[in-house]
Amino acid sequence: MVIVQLGFAGMIIITKLVMDGGMHPFVQSAYKPIFATISIAPFAFFLERKTRPKMTRSILFQIFLCSIFGITANQYAYFIGLNNSTPTVASAIDNLIPAFTFLIAVPLGVEKLGLRSIAGQAKFWGTILCVGGAMLLSLYHGKMVIGQLGFHWKYAENTGKDVNSPHSNFFLGPFMLIMASLTYAIWLIIQGRVSKKYVAPYTCITLMCLMASVESIIIGICVVPKVSEWALNSIRAISVVYNGVVCTSFAYFLSSWCIEKRGPLYVAMFNPLLLVISAFLSWTLLREKLYIGVVVGSIIVVAGLYGFLWGKKIETSAEDIEVNKEKVQSTKLVDLELQLPSTNGNHLESKQISETKAKL
């Protein structure tokens, strides 16, 4: 998950640069799943062609929902929001994902609230701290603590925009970023169910990206019909290939694997790391100024992250203890049945042992 957040931070920086340079968000969104499909399809074909489970209509429909919420709707909302905001604000609002995931997962029974336990309280207050730190960072700047760095990416000067300038649409940017967080949280829940029913992660991501490619191309052509808008220079090509290969196919595969191992809320809680990484990259590469609100908000977010992970660890340990107790009780019950004397002859005793073996 740390690798995933590093990849996403790079995506935010390079995508912001090319969109400030004139690339339309809908064009960026259309290219991304195409390169993702091309990059991951060979792995699905060669590694899972013999072990791939049977596809059902229910699973295919769930993968289709994943393509809509996890890629198409998510990337359109995110790129539009990023185009009307800054990398730091975008990564800060990303921290609403754990809150949305928690709110969706609890009614569905995926996660337990458990406020009476220490683990439940740690998860709850960890989520609150993450969201609170993100809101502080977004809404409060305060005094500048670190000015512009002399070292920066020279290409940033050629875009004609200053990352520290006021947003072109203050309401649209944060609103679309909030919608992106909501759609990603929905994807986490659906993908968690798909991973359990269809154990073929490469094939699942390939189908998801292929469906999203068709959806994004249709929407992109309708919104941006001019052929010249779809032209790719060197920096735009690097952007769409990086976003497709690293931030879609590779990152979504790693996220799906982590969802299968630890659950959707665990994956969502690593998003605060993106805030710290992107804030640092924005300061070093885009000459963004760091304010006291950014520093304090980042500290609160990281504290909330590790508070949640601590609670999650306690909860997992308790669940493992309960599972082990149930196994021990089951073993004792079986041993007791085997030791019971027969009252109706050898035939009944043989039948009892056969039933016990069937239970095992």
Side-chain angles (χ1 to χ4, degrees), residues 149-169:
L149 190 65
F151 169 79
H152 60 278
W153 196 355
K154 189 175 181 180
Y155 180 81
E157 295 180 348
N158 301 327
T159 60
K161 292 187 178 182
D162 182 9
V163 73
N164 297 294
S165 62
H167 314 321
S168 57
N169 193 323

Side-chain angles (χ1 to χ4, degrees), residues 4-247:
V4 170
Q5 300 308 323
L6 285 170
F8 282 151
M11 179 199 71
I12 292 176
I13 300 300
I14 192 171
T15 301
K16 179 62 176 175
L17 281 175
V18 295
M19 287 194 299
D20 285 350
M23 190 175 189
H24 200 284
F26 280 70
V27 176
Q28 176 76 246
S29 301
Y31 275 119
K32 182 180 177 181
I34 296 175
F35 285 98
T37 305
I38 295 172
S39 64
I40 202 171
F43 293 94
F45 178 77
F46 290 107
L47 298 180
E48 296 178 344
R49 58 180 176 178
K50 295 182 179 180
T51 60
R52 188 182 299 114
K54 184 180 179 181
M55 177 65 69
T56 63
R57 292 183 179 179
S58 175
I59 295 174
L60 187 63
F61 178 70
Q62 291 181 50
I63 293 176
F64 172 69
L65 292 179
C66 285
S67 71
I68 293 177
F69 290 104
I71 299 181
T72 305
N74 175 263
Q75 67 185 5
Y76 277 127
Y78 193 85
F79 287 152
I80 293 173
L82 180 61
N83 192 39
N84 290 276
S85 186
T86 65
T88 303
V89 172
S91 57
I93 295 180
D94 248 6
N95 291 283
L96 291 175
I97 293 175
F100 285 136
T101 307
F102 192 79
L103 291 174
I104 298 172
V106 170
L108 294 177
V110 179
E111 289 286 338
K112 298 179 181 179
L113 190 59
L115 289 178
R116 295 182 179 180
S117 64
I118 296 177
Q121 292 178 7
K123 287 165 56 180
F124 176 78
W125 290 113
T127 302
I128 295 297
L129 282 176
C130 284
V131 176
M135 293 300 99
L136 173 65
L137 188 149
S138 301
L139 301 176
Y140 175 74
H141 275 184
K143 296 181 179 180
M144 183 178 66
V145 293
I146 302 177
Q148 292 180 340
L149 190 65
F151 169 79
H152 60 278
W153 196 355
K154 189 175 181 180
Y155 180 81
E157 295 180 348
N158 301 327
T159 60
K161 292 187 178 182
D162 182 9
V163 73
N164 297 294
S165 62
H167 314 321
S168 57
N169 193 323
F170 182 77
F171 174 77
L172 180 62
F175 175 76
M176 294 305 295
L177 291 169
I178 291 172
M179 291 298 101
S181 299
L182 177 60
T183 55
Y184 189 82
I186 295 173
W187 174 79
L188 287 173
I189 300 298
I190 300 175
Q191 184 62 36
R193 295 188 174 185
V194 174
S195 299
K196 294 179 180 179
K197 296 180 180 178
Y198 192 74
V199 190
Y202 289 110
T203 303
C204 180
I205 300 299
T206 300
L207 291 174
M208 187 171 67
C209 292
L210 180 61
M211 293 177 182
S213 299
V214 177
E215 298 160 5
S216 300
I217 289 174
I218 294 174
I219 297 174
I221 292 176
C222 293
V223 177
V224 189
K226 292 183 179 180
V227 179
S228 59
E229 293 285 341
W230 294 77
L232 297 176
N233 55 25
S234 58
I235 190 67
R236 290 187 179 186
I238 293 174
S239 175
V240 296
V241 172
Y242 176 86
N243 291 345
V245 175
V246 177
C247 298

